[in-house]
Amino acid sequence: MKIVILSRNPKLYSTKRLHEAGVKRKHEMLILDHTKCDLIIEKKKPAIVYNNELITDVDAIIPRIGASVTFYGTAVVRQFEMMKAFSVVESQALVRSRDKLRSLQILSRANLGLPKTVFTNYSKDTSEVIKKVGGAPLIIKLLEGTQGLGVVLAETKKAAESVLEAFNGLQARVIVQEFIKEAKGADIRAFVVDGVVVGAMKRQGKEGEFRSNLHRGGTAEIIELSEEEENAALKAAKVMGLGVAGVDMLQSDRGPLILEVNSSPGLEGIEKATQKDIAKSIIRYIERNV
Ligand code: ADP
């Protein structure tokens, strides 16, 4: 099979591992930088040109599209789909997953547990917004943030008000969220491939840090999910339409609460924590579908 990995950097752990896993299973593996793909659109003959060469006969693609290039990246994924390549992450699902607010609405409709969240059109009535999530401490998140940047814990009502006013003044869109104290600075990442949890880890923020992101110095260890957690992760990936997903959850007194569903989840943290060959699971998912 001819499989294209869409990645801007062939040296990234995830890109290298997917490439290696594909080669090991005797596939022709190609790494293309999606930002350098030219799309040719004409009547019934969609094509992609890369370094002045026509890319043809691709059986499947593995999109690894960063948040900053979602627009162009999804156009490239869509073009491959038009050329009949199987994508482990459909363009529609990719776009959906990048809109934090829309994702929360979809998860809520599916009756999944979520931290209570409020979104307003820069409401000046900050006091009312704060009240709606049960008061301080609370979490304020920039809609555009990733890797824990742009996630603020406001410990008091005063702090929450001033942070909200500052973001409103900058016309930065934020969501206000109930703070799940009992998560104790930890979260769970369940890695889902084709309706199966292929690995799960618990990430713990460093001392004094409420954010558990590995990029923020958190540490990870393998965990066994409860049945409730596993079901929540599978359902979240399913309703988001993602064949490959990293589902982030908080453990709360009222069960698992979904924080986010990632469509380009990294392999390094999960493979190192679980010692599992997640890259191979993704290649095998392609083999079953092409
Ligand atoms: P990002 O997408 O930037 O990683 P997240 O929403 O995943 O942002 O938040 C980053 C981290 O902050 C999470 O992994 C979690 O540890 C912590 N966190 C986020 N939201 C909450 C919340 N409502 N209550 C408690 N901790 C939270």
Side-chain angles (χ1 to χ4, degrees):
M1 245 186 278
K2 184 168 171 181
I3 302 174
V4 165
I5 303 169
L6 293 175
S7 166
R8 296 188 69 184
N9 185 354
K11 294 201 182 83
L12 288 179
Y13 178 94
S14 301
T15 312
K16 277 197 302 201
R17 285 284 302 118
L18 287 162
H19 186 270
E20 191 179 284
V23 168
K24 221 176 185 173
R25 294 185 66 82
K26 308 270 185 291
H27 299 301
E28 182 190 344
M29 301 298 293
L30 218 60
I31 301 172
L32 303 185
D33 178 346
H34 38 283
T35 64
K36 296 189 179 139
C37 289
D38 294 332
L39 312 182
I40 301 175
I41 302 166
E42 59 176 321
K43 192 173 170 184
K44 285 206 166 164
K45 245 188 7 198
I48 292 178
V49 173
Y50 192 81
N51 281 342
N52 291 325
E53 256 181 67
L54 208 55
I55 304 294
T56 54
D57 303 318
V58 173
D59 295 296
I61 59 168
I62 307 176
R64 305 283 317 167
I65 313 282
S68 61
V69 290
T70 299
F71 173 77
Y72 200 75
T74 43
V76 175
V77 174
R78 218 174 297 122
Q79 190 83 352
F80 273 110
E81 287 169 348
M82 286 167 64
M83 291 158 62
K84 306 278 183 276
F86 170 74
S87 178
V88 300
V89 179
E90 280 174 30
S91 54
Q92 283 281 356
L94 184 59
V95 174
R96 208 182 286 137
S97 75
R98 289 292 156 81
D99 183 337
K100 279 194 191 197
L101 192 60
R102 184 158 174 222
S103 301
L104 287 173
Q105 288 170 328
I106 292 168
L107 297 167
S108 138
R109 190 176 58 195
N111 209 13
L112 283 156
L114 301 169
K116 186 165 182 193
T117 303
V118 174
F119 181 64
T120 70
N121 194 28
Y122 308 112
S123 168
K124 292 212 164 49
D125 195 353
T126 46
S127 177
E128 194 50 38
V129 172
I130 291 165
K131 221 194 295 167
K132 284 210 175 72
V133 294
L138 53 77
I139 297 276
I140 300 170
K141 285 183 199 180
L142 275 176
L143 267 190
E144 304 290 323
T146 57
Q147 301 181 346
L149 296 172
V151 182
V152 179
L153 169 61
E155 312 238 18
T156 64
K157 181 163 184 271
K158 277 258 164 303
E161 280 175 347
S162 42
V163 173
L164 277 175
E165 280 161 14
F167 280 141
N168 282 347
L170 291 168
Q171 296 269 296
R173 291 216 177 265
V174 293
I175 55 177
V176 180
Q177 202 164 64
E178 158 196 18
F179 176 56
I180 308 300
K181 205 171 34 224
E182 64 269 26
K184 298 196 188 87
D187 77 351
I188 295 179
R189 156 68 58 95
F191 205 108
V192 179
V193 178
D194 198 16
V196 176
V197 174
V198 293
M201 62 178 167
K202 183 166 182 166
R203 297 177 296 200
Q204 179 71 56
K206 59 177 188 226
E207 185 73 28
E209 172 63 71
F210 73 97
R211 294 167 302 179
S212 53
N213 303 67
L214 302 182
H215 288 100
R216 306 263 74 75
T219 50
E221 59 179 57
I222 187 169
I223 56 155
E224 183 87 38
L225 295 184
S226 69
E227 200 176 315
E228 195 185 12
E229 288 160 354
E230 183 170 342
N231 288 338
L234 294 179
K235 190 168 181 188
K238 186 167 176 210
V239 295
M240 294 293 294
L242 291 166
V244 172
V247 183
D248 294 345
M249 297 178 277
L250 293 176
Q251 289 177 311
S252 81
D253 294 340
R254 55 181 201 271
L257 305 178
I258 311 259
L259 272 185
E260 182 173 38
V261 185
N262 289 285
S263 50
S264 291
L267 294 181
E268 186 166 12
I270 193 84
E271 285 198 335
K272 288 190 172 157
T274 62
Q275 298 292 312
K276 287 190 178 150
D277 192 342
I278 309 268
K280 181 170 151 192
S281 307
I282 295 174
I283 300 294
R284 296 196 57 188
Y285 169 42
I286 292 174
E287 291 169 357
R288 288 194 296 277
N289 280 276
V290 175

